[in-house]
Structure formats: structure tokens, C-alpha cells
Amino acid sequence: MRIVPRQDRGALVLAVTGDLDIDNVDPLSAALERAAPDGAAPVVVDLSDVSFADSTTVNVLLTGQTLLGPRLRLAAPSPFMERLIGMLGLDTVLPVFPTVAEALDPPLPD
């Protein structure tokens, strides 16, 4: 698992790659915790290259939502993550966007 942080349009984007499980999810948890006191900027977790995630990962994302509130946005879920998010109904608690660009500039509600 690898996390590459970058700034984009004032937001923190965390590009996550590989398998996320109980043995290696701590860096993602730490990155979300570090972002919490940084103000009102969005924190986008790019899931496009995540090939596997377990329940520990789900817990980290939910804890991140508690820390960051609506600032936390999931983006570009890989096919595996898309199935996991849909199966668990995470998209009812966390905002999920089809692309990082849309997570950075979400469309205005109709």
C-alpha cells in the first residue's frame, strides 16, 4: 500500500494504491488525522488504484468522516472499492464522486 499526498485547488488529495488491510492501513488513518486540524479545505481520498480493502479500511474511512465531516470525500473508486462501497452502503454516509475533479469541484445541487 502506498499513499501519495498532493495539493490540488486548495484541497488535500491522498492517492492510495494497492491493498488496504489491517496490516497496512495505519498510514491512511494517520494522514486523515493529520488533515483534521488543517481548516476547512476538502480532503479527497483517491481510490482509483485500490485493489483490495477490508473492514479495517472501512473503519478508518468512517473514523475519518467523524474527524473531517463533510470535508472528507471519496473519489474515483476502483471496481473493487465501488462494489465494497455499494454493498456496505458507505455512499449513504460518505460522499463518493466518480472522479477526483468532481470531488474537488462538486456540482451544485439542482
Side-chain angles (χ1 to χ4, degrees):
M1 192 277 296
R2 182 173 171 215
I3 300 173
V4 177
R6 73 176 191 277
Q7 292 292 320
D8 191 340
R9 295 182 240 173
L12 172 63
V13 178
L14 302 171
V16 183
T17 303
D19 292 351
L20 292 168
D21 59 35
I22 193 167
D23 294 326
N24 66 6
V25 77
D26 287 342
L28 177 58
S29 180
L32 295 174
E33 286 176 21
R34 279 192 305 275
D38 283 347
V43 177
V44 177
V45 181
D46 178 352
L47 300 169
S48 60
D49 290 323
V50 174
S51 48
F52 174 81
D54 68 2
S55 61
T56 309
T57 306
V58 172
N59 188 44
V60 165
L61 293 173
L62 292 173
T63 300
Q65 195 271 338
T66 300
L67 291 169
L68 297 161
R71 293 174 50 208
L72 179 62
R73 302 168 184 179
L74 306 183
S78 66
F80 178 88
M81 287 303 298
E82 198 170 307
R83 282 189 307 276
L84 182 66
I85 289 166
M87 189 170 56
L88 297 177
L90 286 177
D91 53 348
T92 63
V93 216
L94 296 166
V96 180
F97 296 88
T99 67
V100 171
E102 287 180 72
L104 293 171
D105 294 315
L108 297 173
D110 294 329

